[in-house]
Amino acid sequence: MKRSILFLLCLTVLLSALLAGCGGQKSSDDILPAGTDLEALYAEGMEALYAAYPDAQDNVIMFPESMDFMASYCPGIEAYSYKQSVIYLHPVTGNACEVLLFELENSEDAAAVRDILQSHVDERADDTGYPETAAQWKNNARVTSSGSFVFLAVLPDGYELPAQFVLE
């Protein structure tokens, strides 16, 4: 009887270890399930930001924008097809306060959109006319992607990006 219990215990530990090991081998598509509601994810991220930084409600100001605007703001981004786009920008163009969440129709286009967004960040980070804002873009902006999702998020100094705005 003791051997049976010991055998079952060892088997349970072995199976648990195997399953844990397999769980670490997720593909990049598993980070965020296809069709995740990006507007709800944005709201969740903002709630997390406000919970961590109560003053963010007064200092982190963004308004929704359209893909039509994005065509002039990030040239080339309009060339791709999107399942969803959530675009929140600071009312002063170029200010280091943006959240852009995209789900593309074709995951093969994610690298190109990521490059466009990274160019947008790099351009803002090199803005010699506004060195304080440029430093915030350089130090605080993150462009991440996973599968068919591409996110850009940047917040002013003193605020960490909520996990909802980073694909890792």
Side-chain angles (χ1 to χ4, degrees):
M1 179 75 169
K2 287 184 181 183
R3 286 185 183 182
S4 297
I5 292 174
L6 185 58
F7 173 76
L8 286 174
L9 181 61
C10 288
L11 185 60
T12 302
V13 170
L14 180 64
L15 285 174
S16 296
L18 285 172
L19 290 174
C22 292
Q25 299 294 325
K26 288 184 178 181
S27 73
S28 62
D29 291 335
D30 292 336
I31 291 175
L32 204 59
T36 297
D37 183 348
L38 295 183
E39 195 65 53
L41 188 67
Y42 172 80
E44 188 180 304
M46 293 306 290
E47 286 178 22
L49 179 71
Y50 298 153
Y53 306 96
D55 69 326
Q57 292 187 28
D58 297 323
N59 298 324
V60 177
I61 301 165
M62 294 179 283
F63 295 103
E65 235 350 304
S66 68
M67 279 303 290
D68 289 337
F69 176 81
M70 287 304 296
S72 64
Y73 195 57
C74 291
I77 203 159
E78 74 284 358
Y80 301 94
S81 297
Y82 300 87
K83 289 182 181 177
Q84 307 177 68
S85 60
V86 172
I87 302 163
Y88 282 85
L89 306 173
H90 191 275
V92 177
T93 303
N95 197 309
C97 191
E98 297 182 5
V99 176
L100 312 175
L101 312 176
F102 299 107
E103 181 182 15
L104 290 114
E105 290 283 346
N106 183 350
S107 63
E108 294 168 1
D109 294 335
V113 171
R114 180 185 168 102
D115 290 346
I116 290 168
L117 294 177
Q118 188 60 55
S119 292
H120 172 70
V121 169
D122 294 344
E123 182 180 311
R124 300 282 179 286
D126 289 337
D127 186 353
T128 58
Y130 297 95
E132 287 180 20
T133 303
Q136 290 177 20
W137 277 96
K138 181 178 180 179
N139 298 324
N140 304 347
R142 301 267 318 262
V143 178
T144 56
S145 63
S146 173
S148 60
F149 294 95
V150 181
F151 291 2
L152 180 158
V154 59
L155 295 174
D157 285 339
Y159 301 99
E160 294 289 323
L161 293 175
Q164 292 84 349
F165 299 159
V166 180
L167 293 165
E168 289 182 341

